[in-house]
Amino acid sequence: MHQINSVVVLLVSCSFLLANGQLNYYYYYSSCPNLPMIVQYGVWAAMKNDTRIAASLLRLHFHDCFVNGCDASILLDDTKTFKGEQNAGPNSNSVRGFEVIDNIKADVERACPLTVSCVDILTLAAREAVVLSGGPSWLVALGRRDGLTANLKAANTNLPTPFEPLANITAKFAAVGLDLKDVVVLSGAHTIGLAQCFTFKHRLYNFKGTGQPDPNLDSSLASNLKASCPNVDKSNTNLNSLDVVTTYKFDNAYYKNLVNNAGLLESDQTLMSDPQTASMVKSYSMDPYLFNMDFAASMVKLGNIGVITGQDGEIRKKCGKVNR
Ligand code: HEM
Ligand SMILES: *[C@@H]1O[C@H](CO)[C@@H](O)[C@H](O)[C@H]1NC(C)=O
Ligand SMILES: *[C@@H]1O[C@H](CO)[C@@H](O)[C@H](O)[C@H]1NC(C)=O
């Protein structure tokens, strides 16, 4: 009887530990107990040096997970014989934060050699970036393994662009198991960070070929943006706040901006002009707690896309290249 009870207890605790397939919350509990602290310190130190880096790390995680699943494929550098994802259209001269992950990985290797995957480090770093920016926290189940390859073509086709309609963006999310609500919620990541002028310039000068500005763009924001993004090619890479009110604070101002026609990207403002999503935008603009809760839940979904576990993939020594 006593034995049967222990078996039951064991089974119950196992199913509690298993979050998604083989991922679990205590994966490195004994093999790398300081992992959470090391990642937290690394992100904190990077943010002290560069306020924008939190946003960049969050986006790096998103761009990893949308291509071949969360497998750190985006971290693989190009070589003479290998074309990775870093030069794909949505990534090139745009995603950043590689050195931060490399530095954290080096610290983790010193503490627990060949134990922790780069993809788990990136997943934890994205969470810390949100937390240290004032956003919500969530539990990250661990045990993802690093991929052995990358997919340049998928990076060019699977990642959403700010130039496509909501239906196309939704389709790209659906392809990785995310729904319309996830699109609205995860777009809230644009509450932190910056975007280059070319990603929204058409809204200032020639919206949908009309030769006119986007009617859903607040006129005072538009005039500030025109000053930063004059209608010449050389302004294309100038940077502007995705959330002009609290650029580096993770809050619900992004949604308030959308309600006020002050979203930066066309793909942002569309969430307010499309009747399918406007009510969600309004809810999040009024309820920061609801946004935090839903954002945490959607981030867990994002971090579990197509993960490699068990004996598949590997634990990379260096995040920029496969071991052999
Ligand atoms: C819904 C479709 C999305 C589109 C079309 C989109 C598009 C963009 C674009 C064009 C930029 C500016 C890039 C540049 O100028 O170099 C950007 C930045 C950013 N995106 Fe998104 N994004 C989307 C969803 C997401 C999601 C799901 C996340 C994370 C959960 C995210 C996080 C970020 C962050 C944090 C930045 C600022 C990065 C920095 O300052 O380094 N985005 N996004
Ligand atoms: C500090 O941030 C800048 C800008 O991102 C970066 O170029 C530099 O390498 C960072 N320095 C350290 C020590 O992380
Ligand atoms: C949206 O998707 C449709 C169907 O896949 C495609 O034909 C169209 O070119 C896409 N639009 C944009 C702006 O990417």
Side-chain angles (χ1 to χ4, degrees), residues 46 49 62 72 106 109 122 135 145 155 196 198-199 275 289 294 306 321:
N49 169 56
F62 159 50
E109 284 301 299
L122 179 55
R145 310 250 309 164
Q196 304 174 64
F198 79 87
T199 63
Y289 300 100
D294 287 354
K321 58 184 176 84

Side-chain angles (χ1 to χ4, degrees), residues 68-235:
N68 279 10
C70 308
D71 65 346
S73 54
I74 197 169
L75 302 182
L76 292 175
D77 297 322
D78 280 13
T79 67
K80 260 178 268 160
T81 54
F82 173 80
K83 294 280 160 274
E85 295 163 16
Q86 292 172 12
N87 286 309
N91 291 336
S92 174
N93 297 313
S94 182
V95 285
R96 51 205 293 283
F98 297 104
E99 317 74 27
V100 176
I101 299 302
D102 288 346
N103 290 340
I104 297 174
K105 172 68 170 174
D107 288 347
V108 170
E109 284 301 299
R110 275 188 284 276
C112 1
L114 275 179
T115 302
V116 182
S117 64
C118 294
V119 57
D120 274 343
I121 291 174
L122 179 55
T123 307
L124 288 169
R127 179 188 65 185
E128 293 316 317
V130 170
V131 171
L132 293 171
S133 302
S137 191
W138 55 90
L139 293 174
V140 175
L142 298 165
R144 294 166 192 75
R145 310 250 309 164
D146 295 322
L148 301 174
T149 184
N151 192 336
L152 175 62
K153 200 170 157 221
N156 276 315
T157 55
N158 300 5
L159 289 165
T161 81
F163 311 112
E164 60 191 344
L166 180 58
N168 292 39
I169 291 175
T170 307
K172 289 177 176 182
F173 274 64
V176 293
L178 299 178
D179 59 24
L180 183 64
K181 180 177 176 181
D182 296 312
V183 173
V184 178
V185 172
L186 291 175
S187 293
H190 292 170
T191 178
I192 53 174
L194 307 176
Q196 304 174 64
C197 291
F198 79 87
T199 63
F200 58 85
K201 215 178 199 179
H202 61 289
R203 301 187 68 203
L204 306 175
Y205 303 107
N206 188 10
F207 187 63
K208 296 192 186 228
T210 57
Q212 297 297 314
D214 184 343
N216 289 320
L217 177 58
D218 173 76
S219 57
S220 115
L221 177 61
S223 60
N224 290 338
L225 292 175
K226 280 182 183 165
S228 168
C229 311
N231 199 5
V232 288
D233 284 351
K234 83 183 207 322
S235 78

Side-chain angles (χ1 to χ4, degrees), residues 26-33 35 115-117 120 142-144 315:
Y26 302 101
Y27 196 85
Y28 303 110
Y29 189 78
S30 48
S31 62
C32 199
L35 174 65
T115 302
V116 182
S117 64
D120 274 343
L142 298 165
R144 294 166 192 75
I315 304 297

